[in-house]
Amino acid sequence: MSSPERYIHRVGMAARYSEAAVFNGVVYLAGMVPERGDTDIAGQTADVLAQVEQRLIECGSDKSRILRAQIFLADIAEIGAMNAVWDAWVVPGTAPPRATVQAALADSSWRIEIVVTAAVA
């Protein structure tokens, strides 16, 4: 029998994946993608960041506690527009370590996917 601190709490479980898992005081989010594919990079970034923020809250954390972010862009040329939305969203003084790369995303209408790891509040 495992102790409570070893318990893995999963959020938004589906057959293939969970939207989040919490273990040992750390929240691991799945790749968050836009709910709508018919907006520009700024709109899709705002959409994804709102989802990230909501999932973190559901898991007992918040955006000021992000430990690491990985950002996947369908077109790296859109990094400037994405950064403008990101910079307005990040809590001043808490910008996390971040990697941003160009990648082929699973749906051709998606321009961005973000994966976040955060500490529980």
Side-chain angles (χ1 to χ4, degrees), residues 19-21 26-32 48-49 51-53 55-56 61-72 86 89 96-98 113-119:
E19 289 191 7
V26 179
V27 178
Y28 302 89
L29 295 187
M32 299 280 115
V48 171
L49 292 175
Q51 291 180 61
V52 166
E53 192 163 1
R55 286 286 171 267
L56 290 175
S61 188
D62 64 64
K63 65 184 181 178
S64 73
R65 301 187 59 80
I66 295 174
L67 300 170
R68 177 181 187 210
Q70 296 169 288
I71 302 172
F72 303 92
W86 172 270
W89 180 80
R98 187 186 99 174
E113 183 170 351
I114 300 177
V115 179
V116 166
T117 303

PDB file of all heavy atoms in Angstrom, residues 19-21 26-32 48-49 51-53 55-56 61-72 86 89 96-98 113-119:
ATOM      1  N   GLU A  19      -5.499  14.927 -19.112  1.00  0.00           N
ATOM      2  CA  GLU A  19      -5.137  16.319 -19.373  1.00  0.00           C
ATOM      3  C   GLU A  19      -4.115  16.826 -18.369  1.00  0.00           C
ATOM      4  O   GLU A  19      -3.374  17.759 -18.651  1.00  0.00           O
ATOM      5  CB  GLU A  19      -6.385  17.195 -19.374  1.00  0.00           C
ATOM      6  CG  GLU A  19      -7.246  16.941 -20.594  1.00  0.00           C
ATOM      7  CD  GLU A  19      -8.338  17.964 -20.774  1.00  0.00           C
ATOM      8  OE1 GLU A  19      -8.380  18.970 -20.039  1.00  0.00           O
ATOM      9  OE2 GLU A  19      -9.163  17.765 -21.669  1.00  0.00           O
ATOM     10  N   ALA A  20      -4.085  16.191 -17.180  1.00  0.00           N
ATOM     11  CA  ALA A  20      -3.110  16.581 -16.164  1.00  0.00           C
ATOM     12  C   ALA A  20      -2.901  15.437 -15.193  1.00  0.00           C
ATOM     13  O   ALA A  20      -3.772  14.584 -15.024  1.00  0.00           O
ATOM     14  CB  ALA A  20      -3.588  17.822 -15.417  1.00  0.00           C
ATOM     15  N   ALA A  21      -1.739  15.455 -14.555  1.00  0.00           N
ATOM     16  CA  ALA A  21      -1.443  14.532 -13.464  1.00  0.00           C
ATOM     17  C   ALA A  21      -0.712  15.333 -12.394  1.00  0.00           C
ATOM     18  O   ALA A  21       0.087  16.221 -12.711  1.00  0.00           O
ATOM     19  CB  ALA A  21      -0.581  13.368 -13.946  1.00  0.00           C
ATOM     20  N   VAL A  26       3.782  18.308  -7.757  1.00  0.00           N
ATOM     21  CA  VAL A  26       4.062  18.849  -9.089  1.00  0.00           C
ATOM     22  C   VAL A  26       2.904  18.509 -10.021  1.00  0.00           C
ATOM     23  O   VAL A  26       2.407  17.384 -10.032  1.00  0.00           O
ATOM     24  CB  VAL A  26       5.389  18.285  -9.659  1.00  0.00           C
ATOM     25  CG1 VAL A  26       5.661  18.837 -11.049  1.00  0.00           C
ATOM     26  CG2 VAL A  26       6.547  18.617  -8.727  1.00  0.00           C
ATOM     27  N   VAL A  27       2.489  19.496 -10.818  1.00  0.00           N
ATOM     28  CA  VAL A  27       1.432  19.333 -11.813  1.00  0.00           C
ATOM     29  C   VAL A  27       2.091  19.177 -13.180  1.00  0.00           C
ATOM     30  O   VAL A  27       2.929  20.003 -13.563  1.00  0.00           O
ATOM     31  CB  VAL A  27       0.501  20.570 -11.854  1.00  0.00           C
ATOM     32  CG1 VAL A  27      -0.569  20.402 -12.927  1.00  0.00           C
ATOM     33  CG2 VAL A  27      -0.107  20.849 -10.495  1.00  0.00           C
ATOM     34  N   TYR A  28       1.691  18.140 -13.894  1.00  0.00           N
ATOM     35  CA  TYR A  28       2.179  17.890 -15.243  1.00  0.00           C
ATOM     36  C   TYR A  28       0.979  18.011 -16.184  1.00  0.00           C
ATOM     37  O   TYR A  28       0.054  17.207 -16.101  1.00  0.00           O
ATOM     38  CB  TYR A  28       2.772  16.489 -15.359  1.00  0.00           C
ATOM     39  CG  TYR A  28       3.908  16.243 -14.394  1.00  0.00           C
ATOM     40  CD1 TYR A  28       3.657  15.757 -13.107  1.00  0.00           C
ATOM     41  CD2 TYR A  28       5.224  16.502 -14.767  1.00  0.00           C
ATOM     42  CE1 TYR A  28       4.704  15.529 -12.218  1.00  0.00           C
ATOM     43  CE2 TYR A  28       6.268  16.268 -13.882  1.00  0.00           C
ATOM     44  CZ  TYR A  28       5.999  15.792 -12.605  1.00  0.00           C
ATOM     45  OH  TYR A  28       7.038  15.566 -11.736  1.00  0.00           O
ATOM     46  N   LEU A  29       0.975  19.007 -17.051  1.00  0.00           N
ATOM     47  CA  LEU A  29      -0.120  19.159 -18.004  1.00  0.00           C
ATOM     48  C   LEU A  29       0.227  18.473 -19.314  1.00  0.00           C
ATOM     49  O   LEU A  29       1.384  18.490 -19.750  1.00  0.00           O
ATOM     50  CB  LEU A  29      -0.404  20.641 -18.288  1.00  0.00           C
ATOM     51  CG  LEU A  29      -0.917  21.500 -17.142  1.00  0.00           C
ATOM     52  CD1 LEU A  29      -1.297  22.885 -17.671  1.00  0.00           C
ATOM     53  CD2 LEU A  29      -2.093  20.866 -16.426  1.00  0.00           C
ATOM     54  N   ALA A  30      -0.805  17.917 -19.945  1.00  0.00           N
ATOM     55  CA  ALA A  30      -0.652  17.402 -21.295  1.00  0.00           C
ATOM     56  C   ALA A  30      -0.476  18.592 -22.234  1.00  0.00           C
ATOM     57  O   ALA A  30      -0.650  19.750 -21.829  1.00  0.00           O
ATOM     58  CB  ALA A  30      -1.899  16.602 -21.686  1.00  0.00           C
ATOM     59  N   GLY A  31      -0.168  18.328 -23.469  1.00  0.00           N
ATOM     60  CA  GLY A  31      -0.101  19.400 -24.450  1.00  0.00           C
ATOM     61  C   GLY A  31      -1.473  20.033 -24.611  1.00  0.00           C
ATOM     62  O   GLY A  31      -2.440  19.341 -24.915  1.00  0.00           O
ATOM     63  N   MET A  32      -1.560  21.320 -24.361  1.00  0.00           N
ATOM     64  CA  MET A  32      -2.812  22.057 -24.508  1.00  0.00           C
ATOM     65  C   MET A  32      -2.834  22.664 -25.908  1.00  0.00           C
ATOM     66  O   MET A  32      -1.860  23.302 -26.339  1.00  0.00           O
ATOM     67  CB  MET A  32      -2.918  23.178 -23.469  1.00  0.00           C
ATOM     68  CG  MET A  32      -2.894  22.695 -22.023  1.00  0.00           C
ATOM     69  SD  MET A  32      -4.490  22.083 -21.486  1.00  0.00           S
ATOM     70  CE  MET A  32      -4.124  20.382 -21.214  1.00  0.00           C
ATOM     71  N   VAL A  48      -5.120  28.839 -25.631  1.00  0.00           N
ATOM     72  CA  VAL A  48      -4.341  27.799 -24.966  1.00  0.00           C
ATOM     73  C   VAL A  48      -3.901  28.253 -23.578  1.00  0.00           C
ATOM     74  O   VAL A  48      -3.983  27.485 -22.604  1.00  0.00           O
ATOM     75  CB  VAL A  48      -3.135  27.379 -25.828  1.00  0.00           C
ATOM     76  CG1 VAL A  48      -2.204  26.452 -25.061  1.00  0.00           C
ATOM     77  CG2 VAL A  48      -3.607  26.703 -27.108  1.00  0.00           C
ATOM     78  N   LEU A  49      -3.456  29.486 -23.445  1.00  0.00           N
ATOM     79  CA  LEU A  49      -3.024  29.974 -22.137  1.00  0.00           C
ATOM     80  C   LEU A  49      -4.180  30.013 -21.141  1.00  0.00           C
ATOM     81  O   LEU A  49      -3.997  29.725 -19.949  1.00  0.00           O
ATOM     82  CB  LEU A  49      -2.347  31.336 -22.264  1.00  0.00           C
ATOM     83  CG  LEU A  49      -0.998  31.313 -22.986  1.00  0.00           C
ATOM     84  CD1 LEU A  49      -0.469  32.726 -23.176  1.00  0.00           C
ATOM     85  CD2 LEU A  49       0.012  30.429 -22.259  1.00  0.00           C
ATOM     86  N   GLN A  51      -6.652  27.906 -21.143  1.00  0.00           N
ATOM     87  CA  GLN A  51      -6.816  26.497 -20.761  1.00  0.00           C
ATOM     88  C   GLN A  51      -5.747  26.066 -19.756  1.00  0.00           C
ATOM     89  O   GLN A  51      -6.043  25.367 -18.780  1.00  0.00           O
ATOM     90  CB  GLN A  51      -6.731  25.599 -21.992  1.00  0.00           C
ATOM     91  CG  GLN A  51      -7.890  25.715 -22.945  1.00  0.00           C
ATOM     92  CD  GLN A  51      -7.683  24.772 -24.113  1.00  0.00           C
ATOM     93  OE1 GLN A  51      -7.596  23.561 -23.925  1.00  0.00           O
ATOM     94  NE2 GLN A  51      -7.587  25.331 -25.310  1.00  0.00           N
ATOM     95  N   VAL A  52      -4.511  26.480 -19.995  1.00  0.00           N
ATOM     96  CA  VAL A  52      -3.417  26.162 -19.074  1.00  0.00           C
ATOM     97  C   VAL A  52      -3.750  26.711 -17.692  1.00  0.00           C
ATOM     98  O   VAL A  52      -3.656  26.006 -16.677  1.00  0.00           O
ATOM     99  CB  VAL A  52      -2.072  26.732 -19.585  1.00  0.00           C
ATOM    100  CG1 VAL A  52      -1.014  26.717 -18.487  1.00  0.00           C
ATOM    101  CG2 VAL A  52      -1.590  25.969 -20.811  1.00  0.00           C
ATOM    102  N   GLU A  53      -4.157  27.974 -17.647  1.00  0.00           N
ATOM    103  CA  GLU A  53      -4.470  28.607 -16.375  1.00  0.00           C
ATOM    104  C   GLU A  53      -5.597  27.868 -15.644  1.00  0.00           C
ATOM    105  O   GLU A  53      -5.500  27.605 -14.448  1.00  0.00           O
ATOM    106  CB  GLU A  53      -4.848  30.068 -16.613  1.00  0.00           C
ATOM    107  CG  GLU A  53      -4.911  30.882 -15.360  1.00  0.00           C
ATOM    108  CD  GLU A  53      -4.882  32.380 -15.625  1.00  0.00           C
ATOM    109  OE1 GLU A  53      -4.822  32.802 -16.795  1.00  0.00           O
ATOM    110  OE2 GLU A  53      -4.915  33.123 -14.635  1.00  0.00           O
ATOM    111  N   ARG A  55      -6.569  24.671 -16.005  1.00  0.00           N
ATOM    112  CA  ARG A  55      -6.112  23.349 -15.565  1.00  0.00           C
ATOM    113  C   ARG A  55      -5.233  23.462 -14.321  1.00  0.00           C
ATOM    114  O   ARG A  55      -5.339  22.651 -13.405  1.00  0.00           O
ATOM    115  CB  ARG A  55      -5.331  22.638 -16.668  1.00  0.00           C
ATOM    116  CG  ARG A  55      -6.146  22.108 -17.778  1.00  0.00           C
ATOM    117  CD  ARG A  55      -6.916  20.852 -17.366  1.00  0.00           C
ATOM    118  NE  ARG A  55      -7.852  20.522 -18.412  1.00  0.00           N
ATOM    119  CZ  ARG A  55      -9.130  20.920 -18.454  1.00  0.00           C
ATOM    120  NH1 ARG A  55      -9.637  21.641 -17.476  1.00  0.00           N
ATOM    121  NH2 ARG A  55      -9.910  20.584 -19.448  1.00  0.00           N
ATOM    122  N   LEU A  56      -4.354  24.468 -14.307  1.00  0.00           N
ATOM    123  CA  LEU A  56      -3.495  24.650 -13.131  1.00  0.00           C
ATOM    124  C   LEU A  56      -4.333  24.921 -11.888  1.00  0.00           C
ATOM    125  O   LEU A  56      -4.073  24.352 -10.820  1.00  0.00           O
ATOM    126  CB  LEU A  56      -2.486  25.782 -13.371  1.00  0.00           C
ATOM    127  CG  LEU A  56      -1.388  25.473 -14.379  1.00  0.00           C
ATOM    128  CD1 LEU A  56      -0.529  26.705 -14.618  1.00  0.00           C
ATOM    129  CD2 LEU A  56      -0.533  24.282 -13.940  1.00  0.00           C
ATOM    130  N   SER A  61      -2.773  24.762  -8.392  1.00  0.00           N
ATOM    131  CA  SER A  61      -1.607  25.583  -8.719  1.00  0.00           C
ATOM    132  C   SER A  61      -2.085  26.848  -9.415  1.00  0.00           C
ATOM    133  O   SER A  61      -3.277  27.150  -9.435  1.00  0.00           O
ATOM    134  CB  SER A  61      -0.647  24.799  -9.614  1.00  0.00           C
ATOM    135  OG  SER A  61       0.562  25.493  -9.807  1.00  0.00           O
ATOM    136  N   ASP A  62      -1.158  27.601  -9.965  1.00  0.00           N
ATOM    137  CA  ASP A  62      -1.500  28.770 -10.773  1.00  0.00           C
ATOM    138  C   ASP A  62      -0.318  29.125 -11.665  1.00  0.00           C
ATOM    139  O   ASP A  62       0.757  28.553 -11.524  1.00  0.00           O
ATOM    140  CB  ASP A  62      -1.937  29.960  -9.902  1.00  0.00           C
ATOM    141  CG  ASP A  62      -0.829  30.482  -9.006  1.00  0.00           C
ATOM    142  OD1 ASP A  62       0.194  30.974  -9.535  1.00  0.00           O
ATOM    143  OD2 ASP A  62      -0.970  30.411  -7.776  1.00  0.00           O
ATOM    144  N   LYS A  63      -0.535  30.072 -12.560  1.00  0.00           N
ATOM    145  CA  LYS A  63       0.492  30.378 -13.561  1.00  0.00           C
ATOM    146  C   LYS A  63       1.772  30.978 -12.975  1.00  0.00           C
ATOM    147  O   LYS A  63       2.812  30.926 -13.612  1.00  0.00           O
ATOM    148  CB  LYS A  63      -0.076  31.278 -14.665  1.00  0.00           C
ATOM    149  CG  LYS A  63      -0.504  32.648 -14.216  1.00  0.00           C
ATOM    150  CD  LYS A  63      -1.132  33.392 -15.381  1.00  0.00           C
ATOM    151  CE  LYS A  63      -1.562  34.790 -14.987  1.00  0.00           C
ATOM    152  NZ  LYS A  63      -2.114  35.499 -16.141  1.00  0.00           N
ATOM    153  N   SER A  64       1.713  31.498 -11.759  1.00  0.00           N
ATOM    154  CA  SER A  64       2.931  32.032 -11.133  1.00  0.00           C
ATOM    155  C   SER A  64       3.836  30.918 -10.627  1.00  0.00           C
ATOM    156  O   SER A  64       4.977  31.169 -10.241  1.00  0.00           O
ATOM    157  CB  SER A  64       2.575  32.972  -9.973  1.00  0.00           C
ATOM    158  OG  SER A  64       2.099  32.222  -8.856  1.00  0.00           O
ATOM    159  N   ARG A  65       3.363  29.681 -10.633  1.00  0.00           N
ATOM    160  CA  ARG A  65       4.109  28.545 -10.098  1.00  0.00           C
ATOM    161  C   ARG A  65       4.615  27.603 -11.197  1.00  0.00           C
ATOM    162  O   ARG A  65       5.041  26.484 -10.933  1.00  0.00           O
ATOM    163  CB  ARG A  65       3.251  27.808  -9.087  1.00  0.00           C
ATOM    164  CG  ARG A  65       2.851  28.760  -7.931  1.00  0.00           C
ATOM    165  CD  ARG A  65       2.153  28.110  -6.809  1.00  0.00           C
ATOM    166  NE  ARG A  65       2.929  27.050  -6.180  1.00  0.00           N
ATOM    167  CZ  ARG A  65       3.911  27.208  -5.293  1.00  0.00           C
ATOM    168  NH1 ARG A  65       4.285  28.426  -4.927  1.00  0.00           N
ATOM    169  NH2 ARG A  65       4.517  26.170  -4.760  1.00  0.00           N
ATOM    170  N   ILE A  66       4.583  28.081 -12.444  1.00  0.00           N
ATOM    171  CA  ILE A  66       5.073  27.254 -13.556  1.00  0.00           C
ATOM    172  C   ILE A  66       6.576  27.050 -13.412  1.00  0.00           C
ATOM    173  O   ILE A  66       7.333  28.006 -13.248  1.00  0.00           O
ATOM    174  CB  ILE A  66       4.722  27.885 -14.920  1.00  0.00           C
ATOM    175  CG1 ILE A  66       3.196  27.918 -15.103  1.00  0.00           C
ATOM    176  CG2 ILE A  66       5.389  27.115 -16.063  1.00  0.00           C
ATOM    177  CD1 ILE A  66       2.736  28.646 -16.349  1.00  0.00           C
ATOM    178  N   LEU A  67       6.977  25.799 -13.482  1.00  0.00           N
ATOM    179  CA  LEU A  67       8.389  25.435 -13.378  1.00  0.00           C
ATOM    180  C   LEU A  67       9.065  25.369 -14.740  1.00  0.00           C
ATOM    181  O   LEU A  67      10.267  25.587 -14.852  1.00  0.00           O
ATOM    182  CB  LEU A  67       8.531  24.067 -12.697  1.00  0.00           C
ATOM    183  CG  LEU A  67       7.979  23.970 -11.278  1.00  0.00           C
ATOM    184  CD1 LEU A  67       7.969  22.516 -10.817  1.00  0.00           C
ATOM    185  CD2 LEU A  67       8.785  24.841 -10.332  1.00  0.00           C
ATOM    186  N   ARG A  68       8.255  25.049 -15.763  1.00  0.00           N
ATOM    187  CA  ARG A  68       8.818  24.849 -17.102  1.00  0.00           C
ATOM    188  C   ARG A  68       7.694  24.880 -18.124  1.00  0.00           C
ATOM    189  O   ARG A  68       6.609  24.372 -17.873  1.00  0.00           O
ATOM    190  CB  ARG A  68       9.485  23.484 -17.135  1.00  0.00           C
ATOM    191  CG  ARG A  68      10.057  23.085 -18.436  1.00  0.00           C
ATOM    192  CD  ARG A  68      10.666  21.712 -18.313  1.00  0.00           C
ATOM    193  NE  ARG A  68      11.371  21.409 -19.539  1.00  0.00           N
ATOM    194  CZ  ARG A  68      11.512  20.202 -20.018  1.00  0.00           C
ATOM    195  NH1 ARG A  68      11.014  19.171 -19.368  1.00  0.00           N
ATOM    196  NH2 ARG A  68      12.163  19.991 -21.127  1.00  0.00           N
ATOM    197  N   ALA A  69       7.965  25.474 -19.279  1.00  0.00           N
ATOM    198  CA  ALA A  69       6.995  25.483 -20.378  1.00  0.00           C
ATOM    199  C   ALA A  69       7.694  25.069 -21.664  1.00  0.00           C
ATOM    200  O   ALA A  69       8.820  25.488 -21.930  1.00  0.00           O
ATOM    201  CB  ALA A  69       6.389  26.873 -20.547  1.00  0.00           C
ATOM    202  N   GLN A  70       6.993  24.247 -22.439  1.00  0.00           N
ATOM    203  CA  GLN A  70       7.467  23.851 -23.760  1.00  0.00           C
ATOM    204  C   GLN A  70       6.398  24.306 -24.748  1.00  0.00           C
ATOM    205  O   GLN A  70       5.225  23.958 -24.600  1.00  0.00           O
ATOM    206  CB  GLN A  70       7.640  22.343 -23.844  1.00  0.00           C
ATOM    207  CG  GLN A  70       8.702  21.819 -22.903  1.00  0.00           C
ATOM    208  CD  GLN A  70       8.658  20.310 -22.834  1.00  0.00           C
ATOM    209  OE1 GLN A  70       7.737  19.748 -22.261  1.00  0.00           O
ATOM    210  NE2 GLN A  70       9.647  19.667 -23.427  1.00  0.00           N
ATOM    211  N   ILE A  71       6.820  25.082 -25.735  1.00  0.00           N
ATOM    212  CA  ILE A  71       5.888  25.630 -26.716  1.00  0.00           C
ATOM    213  C   ILE A  71       6.257  25.102 -28.093  1.00  0.00           C
ATOM    214  O   ILE A  71       7.410  25.190 -28.518  1.00  0.00           O
ATOM    215  CB  ILE A  71       5.910  27.170 -26.697  1.00  0.00           C
ATOM    216  CG1 ILE A  71       5.548  27.670 -25.299  1.00  0.00           C
ATOM    217  CG2 ILE A  71       4.965  27.730 -27.757  1.00  0.00           C
ATOM    218  CD1 ILE A  71       5.712  29.172 -25.103  1.00  0.00           C
ATOM    219  N   PHE A  72       5.254  24.552 -28.765  1.00  0.00           N
ATOM    220  CA  PHE A  72       5.422  24.020 -30.107  1.00  0.00           C
ATOM    221  C   PHE A  72       4.625  24.897 -31.064  1.00  0.00           C
ATOM    222  O   PHE A  72       3.418  25.072 -30.872  1.00  0.00           O
ATOM    223  CB  PHE A  72       4.926  22.572 -30.167  1.00  0.00           C
ATOM    224  CG  PHE A  72       5.623  21.677 -29.177  1.00  0.00           C
ATOM    225  CD1 PHE A  72       5.090  21.484 -27.912  1.00  0.00           C
ATOM    226  CD2 PHE A  72       6.811  21.050 -29.509  1.00  0.00           C
ATOM    227  CE1 PHE A  72       5.734  20.673 -26.986  1.00  0.00           C
ATOM    228  CE2 PHE A  72       7.461  20.241 -28.590  1.00  0.00           C
ATOM    229  CZ  PHE A  72       6.928  20.052 -27.323  1.00  0.00           C
ATOM    230  N   TRP A  86       2.049  35.845 -24.795  1.00  0.00           N
ATOM    231  CA  TRP A  86       2.719  35.193 -23.657  1.00  0.00           C
ATOM    232  C   TRP A  86       3.196  36.230 -22.651  1.00  0.00           C
ATOM    233  O   TRP A  86       2.962  36.108 -21.445  1.00  0.00           O
ATOM    234  CB  TRP A  86       3.888  34.349 -24.166  1.00  0.00           C
ATOM    235  CG  TRP A  86       4.761  33.790 -23.085  1.00  0.00           C
ATOM    236  CD1 TRP A  86       5.868  34.379 -22.534  1.00  0.00           C
ATOM    237  CD2 TRP A  86       4.605  32.536 -22.405  1.00  0.00           C
ATOM    238  NE1 TRP A  86       6.412  33.569 -21.567  1.00  0.00           N
ATOM    239  CE2 TRP A  86       5.655  32.429 -21.472  1.00  0.00           C
ATOM    240  CE3 TRP A  86       3.689  31.493 -22.510  1.00  0.00           C
ATOM    241  CZ2 TRP A  86       5.811  31.320 -20.636  1.00  0.00           C
ATOM    242  CZ3 TRP A  86       3.854  30.387 -21.687  1.00  0.00           C
ATOM    243  CH2 TRP A  86       4.897  30.310 -20.766  1.00  0.00           C
ATOM    244  N   TRP A  89       0.587  37.645 -20.515  1.00  0.00           N
ATOM    245  CA  TRP A  89      -0.047  36.639 -19.658  1.00  0.00           C
ATOM    246  C   TRP A  89       0.798  36.253 -18.449  1.00  0.00           C
ATOM    247  O   TRP A  89       0.288  36.043 -17.358  1.00  0.00           O
ATOM    248  CB  TRP A  89      -0.351  35.403 -20.502  1.00  0.00           C
ATOM    249  CG  TRP A  89      -0.999  34.270 -19.773  1.00  0.00           C
ATOM    250  CD1 TRP A  89      -2.323  34.154 -19.443  1.00  0.00           C
ATOM    251  CD2 TRP A  89      -0.365  33.069 -19.312  1.00  0.00           C
ATOM    252  NE1 TRP A  89      -2.537  32.954 -18.799  1.00  0.00           N
ATOM    253  CE2 TRP A  89      -1.357  32.264 -18.712  1.00  0.00           C
ATOM    254  CE3 TRP A  89       0.950  32.589 -19.363  1.00  0.00           C
ATOM    255  CZ2 TRP A  89      -1.086  31.019 -18.152  1.00  0.00           C
ATOM    256  CZ3 TRP A  89       1.225  31.345 -18.807  1.00  0.00           C
ATOM    257  CH2 TRP A  89       0.212  30.577 -18.212  1.00  0.00           C
ATOM    258  N   PRO A  96       8.879  31.484 -16.412  1.00  0.00           N
ATOM    259  CA  PRO A  96       9.522  30.182 -16.212  1.00  0.00           C
ATOM    260  C   PRO A  96      10.563  29.879 -17.287  1.00  0.00           C
ATOM    261  O   PRO A  96      10.565  30.501 -18.349  1.00  0.00           O
ATOM    262  CB  PRO A  96       8.346  29.212 -16.351  1.00  0.00           C
ATOM    263  CG  PRO A  96       7.442  29.882 -17.335  1.00  0.00           C
ATOM    264  CD  PRO A  96       7.551  31.351 -17.027  1.00  0.00           C
ATOM    265  N   PRO A  97      11.417  28.886 -17.034  1.00  0.00           N
ATOM    266  CA  PRO A  97      12.266  28.387 -18.111  1.00  0.00           C
ATOM    267  C   PRO A  97      11.348  27.922 -19.239  1.00  0.00           C
ATOM    268  O   PRO A  97      10.274  27.372 -18.969  1.00  0.00           O
ATOM    269  CB  PRO A  97      12.997  27.202 -17.476  1.00  0.00           C
ATOM    270  CG  PRO A  97      12.918  27.439 -16.003  1.00  0.00           C
ATOM    271  CD  PRO A  97      11.632  28.161 -15.775  1.00  0.00           C
ATOM    272  N   ARG A  98      11.765  28.166 -20.466  1.00  0.00           N
ATOM    273  CA  ARG A  98      10.874  27.882 -21.589  1.00  0.00           C
ATOM    274  C   ARG A  98      11.675  27.474 -22.809  1.00  0.00           C
ATOM    275  O   ARG A  98      12.760  27.993 -23.053  1.00  0.00           O
ATOM    276  CB  ARG A  98      10.076  29.161 -21.900  1.00  0.00           C
ATOM    277  CG  ARG A  98       8.994  28.982 -22.926  1.00  0.00           C
ATOM    278  CD  ARG A  98       8.361  30.318 -23.263  1.00  0.00           C
ATOM    279  NE  ARG A  98       8.944  30.813 -24.501  1.00  0.00           N
ATOM    280  CZ  ARG A  98       8.538  31.896 -25.142  1.00  0.00           C
ATOM    281  NH1 ARG A  98       7.560  32.634 -24.648  1.00  0.00           N
ATOM    282  NH2 ARG A  98       9.106  32.263 -26.261  1.00  0.00           N
ATOM    283  N   GLU A 113       0.893  24.490 -29.521  1.00  0.00           N
ATOM    284  CA  GLU A 113       0.624  23.531 -28.447  1.00  0.00           C
ATOM    285  C   GLU A 113       1.573  23.871 -27.321  1.00  0.00           C
ATOM    286  O   GLU A 113       2.758  24.149 -27.556  1.00  0.00           O
ATOM    287  CB  GLU A 113       0.849  22.096 -28.930  1.00  0.00           C
ATOM    288  CG  GLU A 113       0.527  21.052 -27.884  1.00  0.00           C
ATOM    289  CD  GLU A 113       0.523  19.624 -28.440  1.00  0.00           C
ATOM    290  OE1 GLU A 113       0.603  19.438 -29.677  1.00  0.00           O
ATOM    291  OE2 GLU A 113       0.415  18.688 -27.615  1.00  0.00           O
ATOM    292  N   ILE A 114       1.077  23.862 -26.083  1.00  0.00           N
ATOM    293  CA  ILE A 114       1.904  24.218 -24.932  1.00  0.00           C
ATOM    294  C   ILE A 114       1.822  23.110 -23.882  1.00  0.00           C
ATOM    295  O   ILE A 114       0.729  22.666 -23.535  1.00  0.00           O
ATOM    296  CB  ILE A 114       1.472  25.567 -24.320  1.00  0.00           C
ATOM    297  CG1 ILE A 114       1.590  26.690 -25.347  1.00  0.00           C
ATOM    298  CG2 ILE A 114       2.310  25.881 -23.073  1.00  0.00           C
ATOM    299  CD1 ILE A 114       1.120  28.052 -24.865  1.00  0.00           C
ATOM    300  N   VAL A 115       2.979  22.720 -23.369  1.00  0.00           N
ATOM    301  CA  VAL A 115       3.094  21.745 -22.287  1.00  0.00           C
ATOM    302  C   VAL A 115       3.711  22.478 -21.089  1.00  0.00           C
ATOM    303  O   VAL A 115       4.709  23.179 -21.237  1.00  0.00           O
ATOM    304  CB  VAL A 115       4.012  20.557 -22.690  1.00  0.00           C
ATOM    305  CG1 VAL A 115       4.144  19.568 -21.561  1.00  0.00           C
ATOM    306  CG2 VAL A 115       3.490  19.889 -23.949  1.00  0.00           C
ATOM    307  N   VAL A 116       3.085  22.298 -19.921  1.00  0.00           N
ATOM    308  CA  VAL A 116       3.538  23.016 -18.719  1.00  0.00           C
ATOM    309  C   VAL A 116       3.712  22.052 -17.562  1.00  0.00           C
ATOM    310  O   VAL A 116       2.934  21.104 -17.396  1.00  0.00           O
ATOM    311  CB  VAL A 116       2.497  24.111 -18.352  1.00  0.00           C
ATOM    312  CG1 VAL A 116       2.714  24.642 -16.957  1.00  0.00           C
ATOM    313  CG2 VAL A 116       2.538  25.233 -19.353  1.00  0.00           C
ATOM    314  N   THR A 117       4.723  22.312 -16.750  1.00  0.00           N
ATOM    315  CA  THR A 117       4.941  21.643 -15.466  1.00  0.00           C
ATOM    316  C   THR A 117       4.936  22.752 -14.424  1.00  0.00           C
ATOM    317  O   THR A 117       5.562  23.799 -14.624  1.00  0.00           O
ATOM    318  CB  THR A 117       6.295  20.905 -15.455  1.00  0.00           C
ATOM    319  OG1 THR A 117       6.322  19.990 -16.544  1.00  0.00           O
ATOM    320  CG2 THR A 117       6.497  20.161 -14.157  1.00  0.00           C
ATOM    321  N   ALA A 118       4.208  22.531 -13.308  1.00  0.00           N
ATOM    322  CA  ALA A 118       4.090  23.577 -12.288  1.00  0.00           C
ATOM    323  C   ALA A 118       4.094  22.975 -10.886  1.00  0.00           C
ATOM    324  O   ALA A 118       3.724  21.811 -10.702  1.00  0.00           O
ATOM    325  CB  ALA A 118       2.799  24.376 -12.506  1.00  0.00           C
ATOM    326  N   ALA A 119       4.484  23.777  -9.917  1.00  0.00           N
ATOM    327  CA  ALA A 119       4.421  23.372  -8.512  1.00  0.00           C
ATOM    328  C   ALA A 119       3.011  23.603  -7.989  1.00  0.00           C
ATOM    329  O   ALA A 119       2.345  24.566  -8.374  1.00  0.00           O
ATOM    330  CB  ALA A 119       5.422  24.185  -7.689  1.00  0.00           C
TER     331      ALA A 119
END
